Amino acid sequence: MTVDYELNGHIAVITINRPDARNAVNTDVAQGIEAAIDKLEEDPDAWVGILTGAQTAKGWIFSAGADLKQMSVDPGGMSTAKGGFAGLVQRERTKPLIAAVDGPALAGGTEIVLACDLVVASETAVFGVPEVKRNLVAAGGALFRLPRKIPRNIAMELILTGRLDFSATDAHRYGLVNHLSPEGGALARATELAEQICEAAPLAVVESRTIALETVDADDEIGWKRSGEGIMKMFTTEDFSEGLNAFIEKRAPEWKNK
């Protein structure tokens, strides 16, 4: 198995498990991530996903990006029809996905991170898009997602120089990383964040995520319209009554995801 899937409570942990190749993306990894996202999306008991990389014999690494050996003979094999590169970067999803980054996340590894909703990184993690150094173009989303996540000139420098030393500390300072952790602690901190999300109503989380992504660059008129549609949708759910009753009774809600 090059990608592991484990459900702990309502949290699905997806691990790229190819440590002998620095968790680089090949056909098996791309198909494995796509299958894992399928499980996350289809399982009503899975409310939040965490994507991380297996520890290697030489230390922590999230992903070195595309497998360049495979790229030389079969570049399309690292993508899927549903998800694009790594089975993820173009994937339509509804549930929150947190990247837990320990060690380098480079090239396609950075693009996998950019495809996630939230990012937790260890203090020794680094990011970079070095494709220009190999006469390549970062085609997995970095060229437009990175300038949306961090200041445009900083993103442009990373894109044009191919630097591999964009630290987790800088990524946190510029807003790409939500939380920092000690080395080896990204998954544990991401799990804490996922648990916080799981305290909220899962239907409301999904709807709020969808509306936020759809309206972030839209006119206020569209934002008001979609927000109104979202709250009306919640009024029709069983968990709407549970949320109110739990507040009145001063207890933790028991969400049914219905």
Side-chain angles (χ1 to χ4, degrees):
M1 295 286 290
T2 55
V3 176
D4 299 329
Y5 181 95
E6 182 178 4
L7 184 64
N8 299 315
H10 295 300
I11 302 169
V13 179
I14 302 166
T15 305
I16 304 172
N17 191 7
R18 201 178 173 223
D20 57 326
R22 304 182 74 228
N23 295 326
V25 177
N26 63 359
T27 298
D28 288 344
V29 170
Q31 293 178 349
I33 292 177
E34 179 170 285
I37 297 297
D38 286 342
K39 289 182 181 179
L40 171 64
E41 289 289 299
E42 294 166 4
D43 187 353
D45 287 329
W47 296 357
V48 182
I50 298 174
L51 179 60
T52 192
Q55 186 177 13
T56 74
K58 295 183 179 181
W60 291 99
I61 184 165
F62 180 78
S63 175
D67 186 321
L68 295 184
K69 291 182 180 178
Q70 179 170 344
M71 179 177 283
S72 66
V73 295
D74 180 27
M78 294 170 290
S79 297
T80 66
K82 188 188 297 185
F85 174 71
L88 177 66
V89 299
Q90 293 175 263
R91 176 64 187 262
E92 294 290 333
R93 298 182 290 102
T94 64
K95 298 179 182 179
L97 183 63
I98 304 169
V101 184
D102 251 310
L106 302 175
T110 289
E111 292 179 306
I112 292 172
V113 171
L114 291 170
C116 295
D117 300 295
L118 301 169
V119 182
V120 173
S122 71
E123 294 169 340
T124 56
V126 291
F127 305 88
V129 282
E131 280 82 352
V132 293
K133 291 182 176 290
R134 298 291 182 266
N135 194 40
L136 298 171
V137 167
L143 300 185
F144 55 91
R145 283 179 171 152
L146 193 58
R148 292 173 182 170
K149 299 280 189 178
I150 65 175
R152 183 174 299 180
N153 281 10
I154 303 299
M156 192 64 75
E157 180 179 341
L158 295 173
I159 290 166
L160 299 184
T161 65
R163 284 174 44 199
L164 295 176
D165 60 351
F166 188 55
S167 69
T169 302
D170 284 341
H172 181 256
R173 177 158 57 98
Y174 290 123
L176 173 61
V177 170
N178 295 82
H179 299 281
L180 293 172
S181 74
E183 183 177 20
L187 179 57
R189 183 66 185 90
T191 300
E192 292 176 359
L193 180 58
E195 289 171 345
Q196 287 182 291
I197 296 173
C198 287
E199 292 176 3
L203 292 175
V205 167
V206 166
E207 189 69 14
S208 297
R209 174 189 178 274
T210 299
I211 295 170
L213 291 175
E214 288 179 356
T215 60
V216 63
D217 294 317
D219 293 336
D220 283 2
E221 180 181 357
I222 297 174
W224 287 119
K225 179 177 182 296
R226 287 293 289 114
S227 298
E229 292 170 349
I231 189 61
M232 293 302 294
K233 187 174 180 180
M234 293 304 103
F235 288 161
T236 66
T237 67
E238 291 184 30
D239 280 345
F240 170 69
S241 297
E242 172 60 13
L244 294 181
N245 290 335
F247 176 78
I248 294 169
E249 297 167 10
K250 298 181 180 180
R251 59 174 174 81
E254 297 179 4
W255 306 119
K256 296 181 179 179
N257 198 17
K258 295 181 180 179

Coordinates of all heavy atoms in Angstrom, one line a residue, residues 118-169:
L118 N -6.6 23.6 5.1 CA -5.8 24.1 6.3 C -4.4 23.4 6.3 O -4.3 22.3 5.8 CB -6.5 23.8 7.6 CG -7.9 24.4 7.7 CD1 -8.6 23.8 9.0 CD2 -7.9 25.9 7.8
V119 N -3.5 24.0 6.9 CA -2.1 23.5 6.9 C -1.5 23.6 8.3 O -1.5 24.6 8.9 CB -1.2 24.2 5.9 CG1 0.2 23.6 5.9 CG2 -1.8 24.2 4.5
V120 N -1.0 22.5 8.8 CA -0.2 22.4 10.0 C 1.2 21.9 9.6 O 1.3 20.9 8.9 CB -0.8 21.5 11.1 CG1 0.2 21.3 12.3 CG2 -2.2 22.0 11.5
A121 N 2.2 22.6 10.0 CA 3.6 22.2 9.6 C 4.5 22.2 10.8 O 4.4 23.1 11.7 CB 4.1 23.2 8.5
S122 N 5.5 21.3 10.8 CA 6.5 21.3 11.8 C 7.5 22.5 11.5 O 7.6 23.0 10.4 CB 7.3 20.0 11.8 OG 8.1 19.9 10.7
E123 N 8.2 22.9 12.5 CA 9.1 24.1 12.4 C 10.2 23.8 11.5 O 10.9 24.7 11.1 CB 9.6 24.5 13.8 CG 8.5 25.0 14.7 CD 8.9 25.1 16.1 OE1 9.9 24.5 16.5 OE2 8.2 25.9 16.9
T124 N 10.5 22.5 11.1 CA 11.6 22.2 10.2 C 11.1 21.9 8.8 O 11.9 21.6 7.9 CB 12.3 20.9 10.7 OG1 11.4 19.8 10.9 CG2 13.0 21.2 12.1
A125 N 9.8 22.1 8.6 CA 9.2 21.8 7.2 C 9.7 23.0 6.3 O 9.9 24.1 6.7 CB 7.7 21.8 7.3
V126 N 9.8 22.7 5.0 CA 10.1 23.7 4.0 C 9.2 23.4 2.8 O 8.8 22.3 2.5 CB 11.6 23.7 3.6 CG1 12.5 24.1 4.7 CG2 12.0 22.3 3.1
F127 N 9.0 24.5 2.0 CA 8.2 24.5 0.8 C 9.0 25.0 -0.3 O 9.9 25.8 -0.2 CB 6.9 25.3 1.0 CG 6.1 24.8 2.2 CD1 6.4 25.4 3.5 CD2 5.1 23.9 2.1 CE1 5.7 25.0 4.6 CE2 4.4 23.5 3.2 CZ 4.7 24.0 4.5
G128 N 8.6 24.7 -1.6 CA 9.2 25.3 -2.7 C 8.6 24.8 -4.0 O 8.1 23.6 -4.0
V129 N 8.7 25.5 -5.1 CA 8.3 25.1 -6.4 C 9.5 25.3 -7.4 O 9.6 26.3 -8.1 CB 7.0 25.9 -6.9 CG1 5.8 25.4 -6.2 CG2 7.2 27.4 -6.6
P130 N 10.3 24.2 -7.4 CA 11.6 24.3 -8.2 C 11.5 24.0 -9.7 O 12.5 23.8 -10.3 CB 12.5 23.4 -7.4 CG 11.5 22.3 -7.0 CD 10.3 23.0 -6.6
E131 N 10.2 23.9 -10.2 CA 10.1 23.3 -11.5 C 10.9 24.1 -12.6 O 11.4 23.5 -13.5 CB 8.6 23.4 -11.9 CG 7.8 22.2 -11.4 CD 7.3 22.4 -9.9 OE1 7.8 23.4 -9.3 OE2 6.5 21.6 -9.4
V132 N 11.0 25.4 -12.4 CA 11.8 26.2 -13.4 C 13.3 25.7 -13.5 O 13.9 25.9 -14.6 CB 11.7 27.7 -13.1 CG1 10.3 28.2 -13.3 CG2 12.3 28.0 -11.8
K133 N 13.8 25.1 -12.5 CA 15.2 24.7 -12.5 C 15.3 23.4 -13.3 O 16.5 23.0 -13.6 CB 15.6 24.4 -11.1 CG 15.8 25.6 -10.2 CD 16.3 25.3 -8.8 CE 16.6 26.5 -8.0 NZ 17.8 27.3 -8.5
R134 N 14.2 22.8 -13.7 CA 14.2 21.6 -14.6 C 13.5 21.8 -15.9 O 13.1 20.9 -16.6 CB 13.6 20.4 -13.8 CG 14.3 20.0 -12.6 CD 15.6 19.4 -12.8 NE 16.3 18.9 -11.6 CZ 17.1 19.7 -10.9 NH1 17.5 20.9 -11.4 NH2 17.7 19.2 -9.8
N135 N 13.4 23.1 -16.3 CA 12.7 23.5 -17.5 C 11.3 23.0 -17.5 O 10.8 22.5 -18.5 CB 13.5 23.1 -18.8 CG 12.9 23.7 -20.0 OD1 12.6 24.9 -20.0 ND2 12.8 23.0 -21.1
L136 N 10.6 23.0 -16.4 CA 9.3 22.6 -16.2 C 8.4 23.7 -15.7 O 8.9 24.7 -15.2 CB 9.2 21.4 -15.2 CG 9.9 20.1 -15.6 CD1 9.9 19.2 -14.4 CD2 9.3 19.5 -16.8
V137 N 7.1 23.6 -15.8 CA 6.2 24.6 -15.3 C 5.4 23.9 -14.2 O 4.9 22.7 -14.4 CB 5.2 25.1 -16.4 CG1 4.0 25.8 -15.8 CG2 6.0 26.0 -17.4
A138 N 5.2 24.5 -13.1 CA 4.4 23.9 -12.0 C 2.9 23.9 -12.5 O 2.2 24.9 -12.4 CB 4.6 24.7 -10.7
A139 N 2.5 22.7 -12.9 CA 1.2 22.6 -13.5 C 0.1 22.0 -12.5 O -1.0 21.7 -13.0 CB 1.3 21.7 -14.7
G140 N 0.5 21.9 -11.2 CA -0.5 21.3 -10.3 C -1.2 22.4 -9.4 O -1.7 22.0 -8.3
G141 N -1.2 23.6 -9.9 CA -1.9 24.6 -9.2 C -1.1 25.7 -8.5 O -1.7 26.7 -8.0
A142 N 0.2 25.5 -8.3 CA 1.0 26.4 -7.6 C 1.0 27.8 -8.2 O 1.1 28.8 -7.4 CB 2.4 25.9 -7.4
L143 N 1.0 27.9 -9.5 CA 1.2 29.2 -10.2 C 0.1 30.2 -9.9 O 0.2 31.4 -10.0 CB 1.4 29.0 -11.7 CG 2.6 28.2 -12.1 CD1 2.8 28.2 -13.6 CD2 3.9 28.7 -11.4
F144 N -1.1 29.7 -9.6 CA -2.2 30.6 -9.2 C -2.7 30.5 -7.8 O -3.2 31.4 -7.2 CB -3.5 30.4 -10.2 CG -4.0 29.0 -10.2 CD1 -5.0 28.5 -9.4 CD2 -3.5 28.1 -11.2 CE1 -5.5 27.2 -9.4 CE2 -4.0 26.8 -11.2 CZ -5.0 26.3 -10.3
R145 N -2.5 29.3 -7.2 CA -2.9 29.2 -5.8 C -1.9 29.8 -4.8 O -2.3 30.5 -3.8 CB -3.0 27.7 -5.4 CG -4.3 27.1 -5.9 CD -4.4 25.6 -5.6 NE -5.8 25.1 -5.9 CZ -6.1 23.9 -6.2 NH1 -5.1 23.0 -6.2 NH2 -7.3 23.5 -6.5
L146 N -0.6 29.7 -5.1 CA 0.4 30.3 -4.2 C 0.2 31.8 -4.1 O 0.3 32.4 -3.0 CB 1.8 29.9 -4.6 CG 2.9 30.2 -3.6 CD1 2.7 29.5 -2.3 CD2 4.3 29.8 -4.2
P147 N 0.1 32.6 -5.2 CA -0.2 34.0 -5.1 C -1.5 34.4 -4.4 O -1.6 35.5 -3.9 CB -0.2 34.5 -6.5 CG 0.5 33.5 -7.3 CD 0.2 32.2 -6.6
R148 N -2.4 33.5 -4.3 CA -3.6 33.7 -3.5 C -3.4 33.5 -2.0 O -4.2 34.0 -1.2 CB -4.8 32.8 -4.0 CG -5.2 33.1 -5.4 CD -6.2 32.0 -5.8 NE -6.7 32.2 -7.2 CZ -7.4 31.3 -7.9 NH1 -7.7 30.1 -7.3 NH2 -7.7 31.5 -9.2
K149 N -2.5 32.7 -1.7 CA -2.3 32.3 -0.3 C -1.3 33.2 0.5 O -1.4 33.4 1.7 CB -1.7 30.8 -0.2 CG -2.7 29.8 -0.8 CD -3.8 29.4 0.2 CE -4.6 28.2 -0.3 NZ -5.6 27.8 0.7
I150 N -0.3 33.7 -0.3 CA 0.7 34.5 0.4 C 0.9 35.8 -0.5 O 0.4 35.9 -1.6 CB 2.1 33.8 0.5 CG1 2.7 33.5 -0.9 CG2 1.9 32.5 1.3 CD1 4.1 32.8 -0.8
P151 N 1.6 36.8 0.0 CA 1.8 38.0 -0.8 C 2.3 37.7 -2.2 O 3.2 36.9 -2.4 CB 2.8 38.9 0.0 CG 2.5 38.4 1.4 CD 2.2 36.9 1.3
R152 N 1.8 38.5 -3.2 CA 2.1 38.2 -4.6 C 3.6 38.2 -4.9 O 4.1 37.3 -5.6 CB 1.3 39.1 -5.5 CG 1.5 38.9 -7.0 CD 0.7 39.8 -7.8 NE -0.8 39.6 -7.5 CZ -1.7 40.3 -8.1 NH1 -1.4 41.2 -9.0 NH2 -3.0 40.0 -7.8
N153 N 4.3 39.2 -4.4 CA 5.7 39.3 -4.7 C 6.5 38.2 -4.1 O 7.5 37.7 -4.7 CB 6.3 40.7 -4.3 CG 5.9 41.8 -5.3 OD1 5.1 41.6 -6.2 ND2 6.5 42.9 -5.1
I154 N 6.1 37.7 -2.9 CA 6.8 36.6 -2.3 C 6.6 35.3 -3.1 O 7.5 34.6 -3.4 CB 6.3 36.4 -0.9 CG1 6.6 37.7 0.0 CG2 7.0 35.2 -0.2 CD1 8.0 38.1 0.1
A155 N 5.3 35.1 -3.5 CA 5.0 34.0 -4.4 C 5.8 34.0 -5.7 O 6.3 33.0 -6.1 CB 3.5 33.9 -4.6
M156 N 5.8 35.2 -6.3 CA 6.5 35.3 -7.6 C 8.0 35.0 -7.5 O 8.6 34.4 -8.3 CB 6.3 36.8 -8.1 CG 6.7 36.9 -9.6 SD 5.7 35.9 -10.7 CE 4.2 36.9 -10.7
E157 N 8.6 35.4 -6.4 CA 10.0 35.1 -6.2 C 10.2 33.6 -6.1 O 11.1 33.1 -6.7 CB 10.5 35.8 -4.9 CG 12.0 35.5 -4.6 CD 12.5 36.2 -3.4 OE1 11.9 37.2 -2.9 OE2 13.6 35.8 -2.8
L158 N 9.4 32.9 -5.3 CA 9.5 31.5 -5.2 C 9.3 30.8 -6.5 O 10.0 29.8 -6.9 CB 8.4 31.0 -4.2 CG 8.6 31.4 -2.7 CD1 7.5 31.0 -1.9 CD2 9.9 30.9 -2.2
I159 N 8.3 31.3 -7.3 CA 8.0 30.7 -8.6 C 9.1 30.9 -9.6 O 9.5 30.0 -10.3 CB 6.7 31.3 -9.1 CG1 5.5 30.8 -8.3 CG2 6.5 30.9 -10.6 CD1 4.2 31.5 -8.5
L160 N 9.7 32.1 -9.6 CA 10.7 32.4 -10.7 C 12.1 31.9 -10.3 O 12.9 31.7 -11.2 CB 10.7 33.9 -10.9 CG 9.4 34.5 -11.4 CD1 9.6 36.0 -11.7 CD2 8.9 33.8 -12.7
T161 N 12.4 31.8 -9.0 CA 13.8 31.4 -8.7 C 13.8 29.9 -8.4 O 14.9 29.3 -8.5 CB 14.2 32.1 -7.4 OG1 13.4 31.7 -6.3 CG2 14.2 33.6 -7.5
G162 N 12.7 29.3 -8.1 CA 12.7 27.8 -7.8 C 13.4 27.5 -6.4 O 13.8 26.4 -6.2
R163 N 13.4 28.6 -5.5 CA 14.0 28.4 -4.2 C 13.4 27.2 -3.5 O 12.2 27.0 -3.5 CB 13.8 29.6 -3.4 CG 14.8 30.8 -3.7 CD 14.4 32.0 -2.9 NE 14.1 31.7 -1.5 CZ 13.4 32.5 -0.7 NH1 12.9 33.6 -1.2 NH2 13.1 32.1 0.6
L164 N 14.2 26.5 -2.7 CA 13.7 25.4 -1.9 C 13.8 25.6 -0.4 O 13.8 24.7 0.4 CB 14.5 24.1 -2.3 CG 14.3 23.6 -3.7 CD1 15.3 22.4 -3.9 CD2 12.9 23.2 -4.0
D165 N 13.9 26.9 0.0 CA 14.1 27.2 1.4 C 13.0 28.1 2.0 O 13.3 28.8 2.9 CB 15.5 27.8 1.6 CG 15.6 29.2 0.8 OD1 14.7 29.5 0.0 OD2 16.6 29.9 1.0
F166 N 11.8 28.0 1.5 CA 10.7 28.7 2.1 C 10.3 28.0 3.3 O 9.6 27.0 3.3 CB 9.5 28.8 1.1 CG 8.4 29.8 1.5 CD1 8.7 31.1 1.9 CD2 7.1 29.3 1.6 CE1 7.7 32.0 2.3 CE2 6.1 30.2 2.0 CZ 6.4 31.5 2.3
S167 N 10.7 28.5 4.5 CA 10.5 27.8 5.7 C 9.1 27.8 6.2 O 8.3 28.7 5.9 CB 11.4 28.5 6.8 OG 10.9 29.8 7.1
A168 N 8.8 26.9 7.1 CA 7.5 26.8 7.7 C 7.2 28.1 8.6 O 6.1 28.5 8.6 CB 7.4 25.6 8.6
T169 N 8.3 28.6 9.2 CA 8.1 29.8 9.9 C 7.7 31.0 9.0 O 6.7 31.7 9.4 CB 9.4 30.2 10.6 OG1 9.8 29.1 11.5 CG2 9.3 31.5 11.5

